[in-house]
Amino acid sequence: MPMEETLVQRLESAVMRLEALSATGGSVGTGDGTAILDPSIIAFDDLRSQFLGKVSSAAEKIGGHVLDITKIVEAAFAAQRELLIKIKETKKPDNSSLAEFLKPLNDVIVKATKMTEGRRSDYFNQLKAAADSLSALAWIAYTGKDCGMPMPIAYVEESWQMAEFYSNKILVEFKNKDPNHVEWAKALKELYLPGLRDYVKNHYPLGPVWSATGKTAVSAPSKAPSPSAPAPPAPPPSSLFSSESPQASSSCPTKGMSAVFDEINSGKPVTSGLRKVTDDMKTKNRANRTGVVNAGEKEVRVSSPSASKTGPPKFELQMGRKWVVENQVGEKNLVIDDCDTKQSVYVYGCKGSVLQIKGKVNNITIDKCTKIGVVFAGVVAACEVVNCNGVEVQCQGSAPTISIDNTNGCQLYLNKDSLDGSITTAKSSEINVLVPGDGPDDDWGEHALPQQYAHEYKDGRFVTTPVSHSGA
């Protein structure tokens, strides 16, 4: 049976290539269709047929918004395929021309991001997982070690991590409700890991290979707006990439992954649109040493009533040892990736935000936060959750100690490296711990930590045991 499925996939892939060649009259590539028959393009068609086909098949069973976002994922991969073909007949462009060259892919990614905005869908996690996953396709913008991006293979792997945060929530929510959603979430992950990652590893480990003798990529036409202005029609602010800081206006993080391509157009490093801390933002390098990111945040406090009550938002490294993330509201793309095991992270007063800590740090404290998600690579000492409501914490590495104190509602995702650690709870309720299954395809196991205890006086002392309820 597997052999028959493989044969069908290969036949579908061959049909796709023949249709593409027929549609272009054999003129794609070097003029005789050879680009379509290039091994890297054939492999990309196999990737779409084998992995993307599984995502589409599961989406057809679900329908609705899940099918809609899946069709956008299909369009994004189709756009990347066309760009890969064009790359083989185009000279390496400069920064401004590269932004225009990549615009077809950028437009599809922006369309996916828009689906996550507005009224919250019942399948919000599916929309977010799919939309966030498309950032992995930006590996094609890698132009060298000085472009500000990780190497393509690492970029694909890192880009999936944020999507996995929502993918895991799908697996837990639909574990015993609808196997089609579980199938879709697993297929989506396989599309990128190992699918896209292995494709890039085998064909473009050092980035796209441009033609040395091909045509020159053209810059944006004169009627188009300047790189400093948003491209019409301007998309509404994205809930995922929105930023309250006026300093980010040039990189336009509100346009989702379009920020990546706009940064290329502006000549800045591709990843500068993310909320990273620069040297001038660090407390030790500022003359006033006030801890405020920039003076422009006065405008933020005027436009955001919640910020004026809770204090100015902060996102900075203090004295080279302590990362401070305070009063961030609705920020879904907070990233700390320049950290080490001598540093600690303190998260305070944040609401409706997502923080990703890509490096292993000494200690993490999450204090007085509501509806916040924290994804971290690992800690040397402990991760502490204090005075919080409705938080989600995902550990991707080791964590010797996890402490939860005076918290109502905490979803804790562990991996196999962190199962040997200890979890301490006090004055907390609705604490659920999710652990991976024994095999890579097994479902996650969900365990509710007890919040009620029975105390019995026996042999001169009290004996405390957790209360178990029927059906638990």
Side-chain angles (χ1 to χ4, degrees), residues 47 51 54 160 185-196 441:
L47 165 70
F51 293 100
K54 292 181 180 179
W160 169 252
K186 290 182 176 180
L188 184 67
K189 180 176 182 179
E190 291 175 357
L191 173 61
Y192 296 95
L193 303 178
L196 183 62
D441 297 327

Side-chain angles (χ1 to χ4, degrees), residues 320-338:
R321 287 300 182 97
K322 182 179 181 180
W323 288 93
V324 175
V325 183
E326 293 186 1
N327 304 318
Q328 301 287 341
V329 180
E331 294 288 350
K332 300 300 177 81
N333 197 39
L334 299 170
V335 180
I336 297 176
D337 58 2
D338 183 16

Side-chain angles (χ1 to χ4, degrees), residues 187-453:
L188 184 67
K189 180 176 182 179
E190 291 175 357
L191 173 61
Y192 296 95
L193 303 178
L196 183 62
R197 178 197 61 196
D198 288 355
Y199 171 79
V200 173
K201 180 180 179 180
N202 293 332
H203 297 279
Y204 299 104
L206 301 178
V209 181
W210 301 84
S211 173
T213 59
K215 61 185 180 182
T216 302
V218 296
S219 301
S222 58
K223 65 179 180 180
S226 62
S228 60
S238 166
S239 60
L240 176 61
F241 293 95
S242 63
S243 171
E244 295 179 353
S245 175
Q247 71 176 14
S249 60
S250 63
S251 58
C252 300
T254 57
K255 296 194 293 181
M257 275 308 298
S258 62
V260 174
F261 303 102
D262 287 344
E263 287 304 322
I264 296 174
N265 200 19
S266 65
K268 300 177 181 178
V270 179
T271 57
S272 62
L274 298 177
R275 294 293 303 277
K276 297 180 181 178
V277 176
T278 58
D279 288 339
D280 63 314
M281 294 166 63
K282 298 178 182 178
T283 302
K284 64 179 182 179
N285 294 332
R286 290 203 306 273
N288 56 18
R289 301 174 68 86
T290 60
V292 181
V293 174
N294 57 52
E297 286 184 350
K298 292 181 179 179
E299 301 175 13
V300 176
R301 293 194 289 274
V302 172
S303 61
S304 176
S306 60
S308 63
K309 296 179 181 179
T310 60
K314 295 182 182 180
F315 190 88
E316 62 185 9
L317 176 63
Q318 297 182 347
M319 305 304 292
R321 287 300 182 97
K322 182 179 181 180
W323 288 93
V324 175
V325 183
E326 293 186 1
N327 304 318
Q328 301 287 341
V329 180
E331 294 288 350
K332 300 300 177 81
N333 197 39
L334 299 170
V335 180
I336 297 176
D337 58 2
D338 183 16
C339 52
D340 57 51
T341 55
K342 296 181 180 180
Q343 298 172 346
S344 62
V345 178
Y346 181 65
V347 186
Y348 175 82
C350 297
K351 296 181 180 180
S353 301
V354 177
L355 170 65
Q356 185 176 6
I357 307 169
K358 292 190 175 182
K360 189 173 185 178
V361 295
N362 184 271
N363 182 75
I364 300 173
T365 300
I366 307 169
D367 187 9
K368 291 186 179 179
C369 294
T370 302
K371 299 295 183 182
I372 184 176
V374 177
V375 184
F376 65 94
V379 292
V380 175
C383 174
E384 302 171 278
V385 181
V386 187
N387 305 320
C388 293
N389 289 285
V391 298
E392 298 188 13
V393 180
Q394 180 175 353
C395 178
Q396 297 177 326
S398 60
T401 302
I402 296 177
S403 175
I404 304 173
D405 187 12
N406 196 28
T407 293
N408 296 320
C410 178
Q411 288 273 92
L412 181 60
Y413 296 84
L414 303 179
N415 74 344
K416 293 186 177 180
D417 294 334
S418 56
L419 295 179
D420 294 334
S422 64
I423 301 175
T424 303
T425 63
K427 296 188 294 182
S428 299
S429 61
E430 300 179 26
I431 310 299
N432 294 316
V433 182
L434 296 100
V435 299
D438 295 332
D441 297 327
D442 292 341
D443 295 329
W444 285 62
E446 184 173 6
H447 305 270
L449 300 187
Q451 62 189 59
Q452 281 187 302
Y453 301 89

Side-chain angles (χ1 to χ4, degrees), residues 78-285:
Q80 178 146 107
R81 179 185 185 274
E82 294 303 313
L83 292 177
L84 290 173
I85 293 176
K86 290 181 180 178
I87 283 174
K88 294 186 175 298
E89 58 179 6
T90 307
K91 292 181 180 179
K92 185 176 180 179
D94 55 23
N95 288 335
S96 60
S97 299
L98 181 59
E100 182 67 17
F101 182 85
L102 298 176
K103 189 176 182 299
L105 176 59
N106 177 39
D107 290 343
V108 180
I109 295 176
V110 170
K111 184 178 180 181
T113 302
K114 286 183 178 180
M115 283 200 65
T116 67
E117 301 168 357
R119 184 176 179 180
R120 192 181 180 99
S121 166
D122 292 337
Y123 301 120
F124 177 77
N125 291 330
Q126 286 85 337
L127 299 181
K128 287 290 291 180
D132 288 3
S133 73
L134 292 180
S135 64
L137 296 179
W139 72 266
I140 199 173
Y142 183 84
T143 56
K145 61 181 181 180
D146 297 327
C147 72
M149 291 176 61
M151 296 287 284
I153 299 173
Y155 187 87
V156 172
E157 293 176 337
E158 293 175 8
S159 297
W160 169 252
Q161 291 179 3
M162 189 62 72
E164 189 171 34
F165 181 78
Y166 296 98
S167 176
N168 287 340
K169 295 173 72 173
I170 299 170
L171 296 176
V172 172
E173 179 183 356
F174 292 92
K175 176 182 178 181
N176 299 316
K177 291 172 55 178
D178 190 338
N180 292 327
H181 286 271
V182 174
E183 177 188 351
W184 183 87
K186 290 182 176 180
L188 184 67
K189 180 176 182 179
E190 291 175 357
L191 173 61
Y192 296 95
L193 303 178
L196 183 62
R197 178 197 61 196
D198 288 355
Y199 171 79
V200 173
K201 180 180 179 180
N202 293 332
H203 297 279
Y204 299 104
L206 301 178
V209 181
W210 301 84
S211 173
T213 59
K215 61 185 180 182
T216 302
V218 296
S219 301
S222 58
K223 65 179 180 180
S226 62
S228 60
S238 166
S239 60
L240 176 61
F241 293 95
S242 63
S243 171
E244 295 179 353
S245 175
Q247 71 176 14
S249 60
S250 63
S251 58
C252 300
T254 57
K255 296 194 293 181
M257 275 308 298
S258 62
V260 174
F261 303 102
D262 287 344
E263 287 304 322
I264 296 174
N265 200 19
S266 65
K268 300 177 181 178
V270 179
T271 57
S272 62
L274 298 177
R275 294 293 303 277
K276 297 180 181 178
V277 176
T278 58
D279 288 339
D280 63 314
M281 294 166 63
K282 298 178 182 178
T283 302
K284 64 179 182 179
N285 294 332

